[in-house]
Amino acid sequence: MTNRRSGPPKRRSGPPRQPMAIIAVCMLGVLVLLAVFAPVLWGEEAVAADPDAIALPPSGEHPLGTDKLGRDILLRTLVATRLSLVMAVAATLMGGCIGLALGALPAVLGTRAQRWFASVISTWLAFPVLLVAMLTVILLGPGTTTAVVALALTMTPSFARLAQTLSSRVGGSEYLAAARMLGVSRRRQFTRYVLPNIAEPVIVNVTTSIGGGLLALSSLSFLGVGVQPPDFDWGRLLSEGFGQVYNSPVAAIGPGVAVVFAGLAFSMLGESLAAQLRNREHGRALPPRRLGPAPVAERPARTPAETERAETEAAPLLDVDGLSVSFPGPDGWIRPVQDVSFRILPGEIVGVVGESGSGKSVTMMSIAQLAPAGAAVTARRLRFDGEDLTGRTPAEAGRVLGTRVGVVFQDSLTALNPALRVGTQLAEIPRVHGGAGRAKAHEMAVRALDDVRIPDAARRAQQFPHEFSGGMRQRALIAMSQIGSPSLIIADEPTTALDVTVQRRVLALLRRECAESGAAAIVVSHDVAVLAELCGRLLVMYAGRIVEDVDIALLATPERLAHPYTRALAASLPDLGTDRTKPLVTIPGEPPDLSRPVTGCAFAARCAFATDDCRTEVPVLTEHRHGGRVACRHPQDAMATDAAPGREEVGA
Amino acid sequence: MAELVIEDLVVTFGHRHRAFNAVDGVSLTVPHGTIVGLVGESGSGKSTVARTVAGLQRATSGRITLDGDDLLRTRGVDRRRRARDVQMIFQDPYSSLNPRMTVGETIEEALTTHGDLDGRRRAASVRELLDLVRLKPAVAGQYPSQISGGMRQRVAIARCLAVRPRLIVADEITSALDASVQGAVLNLIRDLQRELELSMIFITHNLAAVRYIADTTVVMSRGRVVEHGDSEEIVANPRQPYTRALVSAIPRIEHAGTDHLLRFADEEGLR
Ligand SMILES: Nc1ncnc2c1ncn2[C@@H]1O[C@H](COP(=O)(O)OP(=O)(O)OP(=O)(O)O)[C@@H](O)[C@H]1O
Ligand code: SF4
Ligand SMILES: [Mg+2]
């Protein structure tokens, strides 16, 4: 990480804290001071010829010596700061503005204008830079203005291309469509919608380019087509210095150092601006030293009753106990998954439901040893088919799982490699893990596709993912998860993007596959009804914890569900029998922000049955009389009339 | 509010031999002050109808009129008048709000484009609109990234109401939201419709939602209308095989713990 912070974490925005930014700002400060004051202080001295001091080597009086007319080179270099900077900034700004107009305006002008502008920009880009510069010089004659214009013209197309790329994203956005529909004028669309959304990267790019611009202008002056005497910039001084390089080699060094210094200042400033933007986009995280060790589930190991049950029960295929997943955040660990414990028996289909961000995907990916980079996964116990996975690296644990766990990802388009034929991707698994030969593996791939009812499987195996429809890709993914004959399938939202009819086919396939092969499955969804049809048991997640673990059949009789959140979830879904005259049942409020520690029950703020102790202590997931487990102080199932002691007195 | 009539609408994409009709002769009517549901599978042309009505897509042929005014005429029509005819609410509240404008600015944008209120009156209107969509006034100072998806969708609804359009097109406005939030947005739409007598096209693939919210429902398949009628009736007694297939494919909580899916797999020959 580039940022090191001193002192306690404070607000996130504010002045840049990276050392590079500080150095760049200081260097820039020096340059600006020189540009403003040097000509005032030493302007006359720098141009006054002194016949007694012609071409002197460095001395105490003239640290960099004097030139052919006896003028002090150091002073001249300092005085030249103003012209050099003004030219570079002017040229870059000019190029930036023209580029921005060319690249970004079309976003609000319609498709025909876009095409026209795009071809102008590419033609312009194709022109050699030197040719553009030379043509400008020929047309305008050498001079300061010429140099600036020439530079601006060569910079314009690359700014335009950048602005075009950025603004085409805005141009296709729904918020711009909404503005258009509101009747917002084109000018306002441009200034309020397009510009602010592309400004930051453009500013970074322009800043960085000033440094390059400075170099380019110096070369133009050096070559004699830029600044003309008696004016002088660093490039001019360089070329004069080179003229006397034999009797005073230092003469060229002063202006040279100045050019490099200023170029570096702008490049560094641009870089640190860019770093600042990146940090803001991805959120800044505390360095490991300040984060401390990854959080672990604090609950003690199992109660004796649970241990007894664990021993009498059939050996689980998957046994997860005290699983926590944390990410480094700006103010410490963010804990999207906390103390999750559950078991899956062989052949069982278990559903996981919960709101977006409740930690479903992170839990499943961590179990499959595919947790995102940066995640800290801890567990008291994580056993698959009798083998302990805790204490191994994800790569080792992944090898233990091998083909015994098949994963279906949430997004079918990104889960398949777009550059490989579908059949080749499927065949990869038996080839790598099963040691099958090429022909054998391909045959297996085609059979797997045929198994999930992809018509004409042999031909389809030769196609690329984008040639499949969404439903077919999803089926191909299921085929892929099946091909190693896994004993556990983990499916994250396998049908969310699909139409109902396709969804039902995919669900039926999954169900059939499990019934036939005896594989177990964990299926994640935010739609309880989907899980009701598919699964035997339901895990309900809220704010990173399992709040209820219940037989799926109880969903059909919601009054027998125990946790207030599960009950609200089951009641809030409109179905084909909902009373149209009444408002739908909803859950008021929002889920908590997991980047801050949550004390007590995370659902308390939205729960109608919350009491004071709910808000202070985390309810533990324990066995419940409905045969499953619940984490709630006041379970609401019908038999639990005694379960909310003193609710009236304490109040909500 | 007003009555929308679509007659024989055709929208063609692509050129010559690759051309296909995304919308292929659709006719439907949205009577004054009612919600018409538009359902169908993805690719059935629902959204294309919506975007054409909203003026975001060109029609190839056909007529769309709002109280007799031709909505397909684009020449010489005042941009702002057109905006007061039809407004659309989009599926994804994450991308339909400008990330660089606060909630207040977003709603004000609609207000200033349509009437020159002074600053104080505008602020009051923003508060009123936020109140209408059940948001607290403090939300006005926040950026879209600082509020939840459900709240964002309410902001989008408030922005649309600020224009006082004669017709609202809502395209899958609940499908990007969590189940528990969907209900709240559906309730809001229903209440607003009653309070303000809105005319609305409500597009969704969720038959349960459409049955709850729409007075009449139009079922589309492959660019054509296959069935239309009273919403409750269509879901209870679908007449066309396509509609029947849609209705029977809806996952139901009543099937919890049964072998319904396995039976379906057998029937369909999925072995
Ligand atoms: N790589 C990551 N770095 C930091 N935080 C992450 C990362 N991946 C996920 N999170 C956070 O973990 C939390 C849980 O995310 P997760 O994807 O598991 O939710 P989910 O229940 O699957 O939601 P959805 O229904 O939207 O798929 C979220 O707050 C998310 O922002
Ligand atoms: S523990 Fe208390 S606040 Fe939490 S769900 Fe149960 S009753 Fe509600
Ligand atoms: Mg997920």
Side-chain angles (χ1 to χ4, degrees), chain A residues 322-399:
Chain A
L323 177 78
S324 292
V325 186
S326 315
F327 292 101
D331 307 310
W333 291 101
I334 299 172
R335 306 189 54 188
V337 177
Q338 300 177 31
D339 196 4
V340 161
S341 306
F342 63 92
R343 266 173 267 154
I344 309 278
L345 298 179
E348 200 181 15
I349 305 185
V350 174
V352 181
V353 74
E355 256 156 292
S356 179
S358 58
K360 309 181 294 286
S361 299
V362 171
T363 306
M364 294 313 137
M365 291 301 126
S366 303
I367 291 171
Q369 305 300 322
L370 297 168
V377 183
T378 60
R380 270 194 301 271
R381 185 170 49 242
L382 185 55
R383 296 176 76 84
F384 177 77
D385 208 1
E387 285 189 69
D388 195 0
L389 300 181
T390 46
R392 300 183 196 241
T393 66
E396 281 170 14
R399 268 194 297 280

Side-chain angles (χ1 to χ4, degrees), chain B residues 94-106:
Chain B
Y94 293 83
S95 62
S96 69
L97 298 177
N98 185 349
R100 294 309 162 100
M101 280 163 103
T102 64
V103 168
E105 286 170 341
T106 299

Side-chain angles (χ1 to χ4, degrees), chain B residues 100-143:
Chain B
R100 294 309 162 100
M101 280 163 103
T102 64
V103 168
E105 286 170 341
T106 299
I107 298 175
E108 266 182 40
E109 184 86 341
L111 289 170
T112 38
T113 317
H114 296 276
D116 25 27
L117 303 172
D118 61 68
R120 267 232 313 286
R121 294 239 312 278
R122 229 174 20 230
S125 300
V126 168
R127 266 200 306 282
E128 257 169 53
L129 284 161
L130 286 177
D131 188 51
L132 202 59
V133 295
R134 323 308 189 236
L135 288 174
K136 296 199 186 77
V139 174
Q142 292 182 299
Y143 284 92

Side-chain angles (χ1 to χ4, degrees), chain A residues 42 98 101 109 111 119 144 199 224 232 244 249 253 373 397 410 429 484 515 562 565 571 613 648 650:
Chain A
W42 306 301
I98 306 177
L109 293 183
T111 43
S119 53
T144 309
F232 55 97
Q244 53 190 89
I253 287 180
Q410 188 159 357
I429 298 167
Y565 175 66
D613 40 351
E648 281 75 24
V650 182

Side-chain angles (χ1 to χ4, degrees), chain A residues 425-466:
Chain A
Q425 295 187 54
L426 262 71
E428 199 92 318
I429 298 167
R431 270 173 65 97
V432 173
H433 291 281
R438 182 185 292 267
K440 177 88 195 323
H442 186 74
E443 195 187 307
M444 284 172 77
V446 173
R447 186 141 29 86
L449 288 175
D450 193 45
D451 277 350
V452 294
R453 297 279 129 179
I454 286 182
D456 203 359
R459 187 176 60 88
R460 287 289 182 177
Q462 301 296 330
Q463 290 186 327
F464 290 95
H466 70 263

Side-chain angles (χ1 to χ4, degrees), chain A residues 563-565 601-604 607-611 614 619 631-636:
Chain A
H563 198 281
Y565 175 66
C601 174
F603 191 58
C607 179
F609 311 100
T611 55
C614 293
C632 174
R633 286 178 182 280
H634 312 303
Q636 296 294 315

